[in-house]
């Protein structure tokens, strides 16, 4: 296997990649780098990332390692969570980290056109969109968005034992996890481009949940 020309310490420094460096990366290596960056974030072992020099480097082109589909929530600073700097990550944000046509197009662009190696669907604890879906909130265009989370509410409810309301943190967590996994299913079913890239080993499609109290990203075991 060809050696990737990025030093281990650069994982935390998060220098913008060149096209050549990006092309040499394997999806599993990118996933490990995301995990390493999160470990640095959790342990408060951070380095300066966004200097004016890096801004200038990134202005010449972008070759991110991964694309993250995250919730809109302001308490989830995605680049910080993975200790990643300018030019290293694509981030698509929408309440409830749901999948729609525009999100799918963005993920396809990130991977097929711009060379990202990992698609990560990132949910989080105490998600307001999840709680609102559980409570069946009806309000303007929010209603349509929450409808996309309802399948996760139903799926989690099939096996969950206990109070199935938004006031029960355990049920909210169960729905959050189900919503992430269902989003991954939607990506594979609705994007032939990403599904084919995954089957060829060109990308990984994974899911995780951000722990608000610890800052740790817990990766989910995917179903068959």
């Amino acid at each position: 296997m060809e050696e990737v020309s990025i030093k281990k310490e650069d994982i935390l420094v998060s220098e913008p990649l060149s096209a050549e460096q990006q092309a040499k990366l394997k999806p599993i290596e990118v996933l490990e780098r995301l995990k390493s960056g999160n470990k640095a974030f959790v342990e408060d072992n951070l380095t300066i990332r966004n200097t004016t020099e890096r801004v200038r480097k990134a202005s010449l082109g972008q070759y991110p390692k991964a694309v993250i589909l995250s919730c809109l929530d302001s308490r989830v600073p995605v680049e910080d969570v993975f200790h990643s700097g300018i030019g290293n990550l694509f981030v698509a944000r929408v309440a409830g980290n749901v999948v729609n046509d525009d999100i799918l197009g963005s993920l396809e662009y990130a991977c097929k056109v711009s060379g990202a190696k990992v698609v990560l669907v990132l949910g989080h604890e105490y998600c307001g969109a999840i709680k609102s879906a559980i409570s069946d909130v009806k309000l303007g265009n929010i209603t349509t968005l929450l409808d996309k989370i309802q399948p996760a509410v139903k799926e989690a409810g099939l096996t969950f034992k206990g109070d199935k309301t938004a006031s029960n943190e355990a049920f909210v967590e169960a729905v959050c996890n189900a919503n992430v996994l269902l989003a991954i299913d939607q990506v594979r079913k609705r994007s032939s481009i990403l599904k084919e890239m995954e089957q060829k080993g060109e990308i990984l499609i994974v899911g995780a949940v951000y722990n608000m109290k610890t800052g740790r990203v817990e990766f989910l075991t995917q179903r068959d």
Side-chain angles (χ1 to χ4, degrees):
M1 175 175 159
E2 187 174 8
E3 184 178 354
V4 178
S5 58
I6 302 176
K7 297 178 182 178
K8 183 177 180 181
E9 56 266 27
D10 289 338
I11 295 173
L12 300 185
V13 175
S14 295
E15 289 287 350
L17 298 178
S18 68
E20 182 182 5
Q21 288 171 327
Q22 184 202 51
K24 289 178 180 178
L25 285 172
K26 305 299 182 186
I28 190 63
E29 294 173 326
V30 173
L31 183 59
E32 290 306 313
R33 287 164 198 243
L34 291 174
K35 292 179 180 180
S36 296
N38 180 242
K39 184 174 184 290
F41 175 72
V42 170
E43 296 176 354
D44 204 23
N45 182 26
L46 305 180
T47 58
I48 296 173
R49 298 167 295 125
N50 295 330
T51 63
T52 55
E53 180 183 357
R54 289 185 187 128
V55 171
R56 290 193 295 272
K57 285 183 179 179
S59 70
L60 301 176
Q62 60 169 343
Y63 306 98
K65 296 189 287 285
V67 55
I68 316 296
L69 171 54
S70 173
C71 182
L72 189 69
D73 199 292
S74 63
R75 299 167 295 175
V76 187
V78 177
E79 288 88 350
D80 288 335
V81 165
F82 294 105
H83 192 35
S84 192
I86 288 172
N88 289 134
L89 296 178
F90 285 112
V91 181
R93 303 194 71 148
V94 59
N97 42 272
V98 299
V99 173
N100 58 34
D101 289 345
D102 294 329
I103 290 293
L104 285 172
S106 297
L107 300 181
E108 289 173 351
Y109 176 85
C111 296
K112 189 67 174 180
V113 178
S114 291
K117 307 293 185 177
V118 171
V119 175
L120 171 59
V121 179
L122 183 65
H124 68 92
E125 285 188 312
Y126 313 127
C127 180
I130 296 293
K131 291 181 179 180
S132 295
I134 292 171
S135 299
D136 200 22
V137 169
K138 306 293 184 184
L139 180 63
N141 291 301
I142 298 173
T143 305
T144 303
L145 185 147
L146 296 180
D147 283 345
K148 295 178 174 63
I149 304 176
Q150 286 301 331
V153 178
K154 293 177 182 177
E155 180 171 305
L158 292 176
T159 57
F160 187 84
K161 305 298 182 184
D163 179 27
K164 300 175 186 178
T165 67
S167 61
N168 185 350
E169 290 185 10
F171 185 59
V172 174
E173 178 182 355
V175 176
C176 175
N177 291 354
N179 188 53
V180 168
L181 295 176
L182 285 170
I184 291 173
D185 288 345
Q186 285 290 300
V187 170
R188 290 175 176 143
K189 289 176 181 177
R190 296 174 58 184
S191 174
S192 58
I193 289 175
L194 296 175
K195 181 179 180 180
E196 182 180 9
M197 291 183 75
E198 183 183 38
Q199 290 174 337
K200 289 181 177 179
E202 296 171 350
I203 63 171
L204 287 173
I205 303 175
V206 298
V209 174
Y210 175 69
N211 187 306
M212 289 284 203
K213 295 184 286 291
T214 67
R216 188 177 303 279
V217 173
E218 302 289 347
F219 287 80
L220 301 181
T221 301
Q222 298 185 56
R223 51 197 172 194
D224 296 329

